[in-house]
Amino acid sequence: MSSHLSLIVLALLLTFTLGLTIYAPQELGSDGYLSAGLALGSPGDSIAYLANDQHPPLFYLILRAWFFVAGRSFLGARWLSLAGILIGQAALYCIGRRLGGRRLAAFATLLYAANPAAVSAGATVRDYSLGLGLSLLALLTSLRLAARPSARGVLACTLINAAALLTWYFHIAFLLASAVAAAVKRKAALPLFLALGGGVALTFAWLWMVIPVLLARAGTPQQFGASPSRQPVPQLLLTLLSQFSFGAWPSRLNDRWGPLLFGLLWMLVAAAGVVALLRRDSWRSGAVTVAGLGAGLALFVFLRSAWATDASPRYLLAALPFAFVAQAAALSLASRLGGAGVALCGAWVVVSLGGGLWEFQRVHALPPLPWESDPVLQYVETSARPGDALFFFGWGPYSRYLLRNRDPLSAYGLDVASPEQKGQLGQLMQPKVAAMEDASRVWFVNEHSSDEASSVLLDSFLESGFYFVDQQTIKSPVFDGQGVVRQYASARDVQPHPLGLTLDSRVTLATAGYPASVHPGGVLPVDLEWHALRNNQDNYSVFVHFVSSNGQMVAQHDGWPAAGLRPTSRWQPGDVIHDRLALALPASLTSGSYRLIAGMYVGDSRLALADGMNSIELGSVAVT
């Protein structure tokens, strides 16, 4: 085995080991559980989400296929990202050889090996890693096609470019670099431009659908979690370049000037490499590198100014491989200058590798989020029974549940990526309700309870098809502070009973539906039909009590009508309100006949009937 091959193998092993171990076993990186949820959810829901988001679909479809083949697991979810970053590393070596020789390729691979951005991307279940790998593979096929045109090369280049563009939109930078390669290699320009155009054409249907969404979002910068940075873009760029290449340790030297100094040094080394490439006989290598590096940095500036108010370091990923090639060209030149050059070259490699390893140790030592002890999922897992169904609003908890349970209950997930998609919630929710109609109970786990409009809409769909049992609000460090779990029950044997009783001239209970018999440990569904007679300033609560023959209340339900969705203060005269609720019955109930009573109250005051009674006798139900 040659020394160069040994070096490449060691670099690959180093990147793989760091990517595999940087996070705790159940940590999937930033938005990793979102990605897993998109892969595990129905393809239609995932495509609808991604069409309104800033990510194309191929990574999630491949991850879905991987889960089908290899099974669901936390470690399995990360294999695709790890494979992507290794594919990119191997392709970068081959690109380096074509642009500047074996020495340049070896240096570029070393700079890549422990780079904090590459390691983090490889450890995170997200499309960036595979996208970077496919883009580098596409650039490699473009360079090969430019050197030796062939029909097979055109086909391969077309397909890989299409795959890269359907994995991440940052592939635009690599398309530009490939176009420059075609322009400077005029004899191969036609087949290479045909391949690049063919790759874009294969993605046309998807791009036609999402480009209007992307353009609309580009005009309204958003904040994705991090606090907006107040630094000017050039200063911010240098800071992020420092973080990307050396981790956080330059900040230890000086919190303000350390990152700026090392970011500037990083740029100077890359600029020196670009000059070295342009002055070579093969100046075309320099042109390709400059095009890719410039496009990658331009993407960062665009995203920072027109897309997001925060500054995610991964916005620089497209520029990194071209920067590695440029810096490797500078190191390759320095290593030929004798002792001082070799020393400078070695120092830069040591600083880069050392910074990456230091950043790995810092991140690895951080206390992991308590995914395993998430109280929301623990509550659902211990409360739900066979025959129940789980519905998650949020791809994150949906995927966490499926990944941590070998034999899960029927689970369904849904999420929205944009205000426009919220208008499609009804259409997306209908098949979910139909699929869950045979479940004994439905547990609605809401990660986005702060999104009141969407939560109310989803609850209204569930309330129209099931009977509301209760709600639990549970504090959780992995649910944005808290998660809301609402329990619904299904029933088919509810019989309506006419009543026509009026409370305080405000509201009439027209009918009450309930089954003739129930079982201990089950639920008692009740369907109340209220008719509003006049406006109410107060929000009255509905109570339903299940009372034994000796007058003991054995089960009850209290809350605003219609699972809290129709407060009485919003009722208008003539409104008809269907209030579907269910009482959870104790397993210790003895057989016999029980009374079912209902009414309304606010504070300590109940509404009364004309005869002065403050509760309505609905009827009797047998416990068998």
Side-chain angles (χ1 to χ4, degrees), residues 22-33:
I22 188 171
Y23 295 142
Q26 290 196 7
E27 177 59 65
L28 303 185
S30 176
D31 290 333
Y33 281 108

Side-chain angles (χ1 to χ4, degrees), residues 252-322:
R252 296 290 185 92
L253 301 177
N254 185 287
D255 185 57
R256 179 181 180 184
W257 297 108
L260 292 177
L261 176 62
F262 277 86
L264 180 60
L265 190 59
W266 189 93
M267 288 289 286
L268 289 175
V269 175
V274 167
V275 172
L277 286 171
L278 291 173
R279 293 187 64 181
R280 291 166 54 105
D281 293 337
S282 56
W283 61 270
R284 299 177 181 86
S285 300
V288 171
T289 305
V290 169
L293 181 58
L297 294 178
L299 273 175
F300 165 79
V301 174
F302 167 76
L303 292 170
R304 172 61 184 83
S305 59
W307 191 267
T309 58
D310 60 322
S312 174
R314 56 194 180 193
Y315 293 164
L316 279 167
L317 268 174
L320 272 186
F322 300 101

Side-chain angles (χ1 to χ4, degrees), residues 376-410:
V376 176
L377 288 186
Q378 285 183 340
Y379 169 74
V380 173
E381 289 164 347
T382 56
S383 302
R385 306 171 184 174
D388 292 355
L390 309 180
F391 172 64
F392 296 87
F393 184 38
W395 291 123
Y398 170 71
S399 67
R400 289 198 297 274
Y401 172 76
L402 291 178
L403 290 174
R404 61 190 269 164
N405 287 276
R406 292 291 183 182
D407 189 21
L409 301 175
S410 297

Side-chain angles (χ1 to χ4, degrees), residues 297-521:
L297 294 178
L299 273 175
F300 165 79
V301 174
F302 167 76
L303 292 170
R304 172 61 184 83
S305 59
W307 191 267
T309 58
D310 60 322
S312 174
R314 56 194 180 193
Y315 293 164
L316 279 167
L317 268 174
L320 272 186
F322 300 101
F324 290 151
V325 169
Q327 291 184 354
L331 297 178
S332 178
L333 177 62
S335 67
R336 292 184 170 92
L337 298 179
V342 171
L344 289 174
C345 178
W348 186 256
V349 171
V350 169
V351 168
S352 298
L353 289 176
L357 294 173
W358 188 93
E359 181 67 6
F360 164 83
Q361 182 58 36
R362 186 190 70 82
V363 174
H364 183 69
L366 293 174
L369 288 172
W371 300 113
E372 296 182 20
S373 58
D374 174 19
V376 176
L377 288 186
Q378 285 183 340
Y379 169 74
V380 173
E381 289 164 347
T382 56
S383 302
R385 306 171 184 174
D388 292 355
L390 309 180
F391 172 64
F392 296 87
F393 184 38
W395 291 123
Y398 170 71
S399 67
R400 289 198 297 274
Y401 172 76
L402 291 178
L403 290 174
R404 61 190 269 164
N405 287 276
R406 292 291 183 182
D407 189 21
L409 301 175
S410 297
Y412 305 87
L414 191 61
D415 212 333
V416 291
S418 67
E420 292 77 16
Q421 197 185 8
K422 291 181 182 180
Q424 305 169 11
L425 267 178
Q427 179 183 351
L428 295 170
M429 191 62 186
Q430 286 177 351
K432 300 285 188 297
V433 174
M436 296 185 292
E437 64 181 4
D438 293 329
S440 300
R441 304 189 196 195
V442 173
W443 301 81
F444 174 26
V445 183
N446 190 351
E447 185 183 36
H448 305 309
S449 57
S450 59
D451 183 356
E452 184 175 352
S454 297
S455 299
V456 167
L457 181 58
L458 295 175
D459 270 312
S460 66
F461 270 93
L462 292 171
E463 196 271 341
S464 66
F466 304 95
Y467 292 81
F468 176 64
V469 180
D470 67 10
Q471 173 177 307
Q472 298 291 329
T473 301
I474 305 170
K475 292 183 178 180
S476 171
V478 297
F479 260 82
D480 294 329
Q482 69 177 27
V484 175
V485 181
R486 291 168 68 93
Q487 181 188 169
Y488 292 85
S490 61
R492 300 182 183 278
D493 52 357
V494 175
Q495 300 296 323
H497 301 271
L499 293 171
L501 299 174
T502 299
L503 293 170
D504 197 29
S505 302
R506 295 177 180 274
V507 59
T508 295
L509 181 55
T511 64
Y514 49 87
S517 63
V518 291
H519 302 292

Side-chain angles (χ1 to χ4, degrees), residues 70-131:
R72 298 188 305 266
S73 69
F74 293 100
L75 181 60
R78 294 167 61 181
W79 284 122
L80 191 58
S81 295
L82 285 168
I85 213 67
L86 295 178
I87 290 171
Q89 191 171 12
L92 180 62
Y93 175 80
C94 297
I95 291 170
R97 287 196 62 175
R98 287 186 171 273
L99 294 180
R102 296 176 64 183
R103 184 174 300 194
L104 183 151
F107 279 125
T109 307
L110 278 177
L111 294 174
Y112 186 111
N115 180 266
V119 171
S120 175
T124 300
V125 183
R126 207 70 170 123
D127 49 21
Y128 296 99
S129 162
L130 185 63

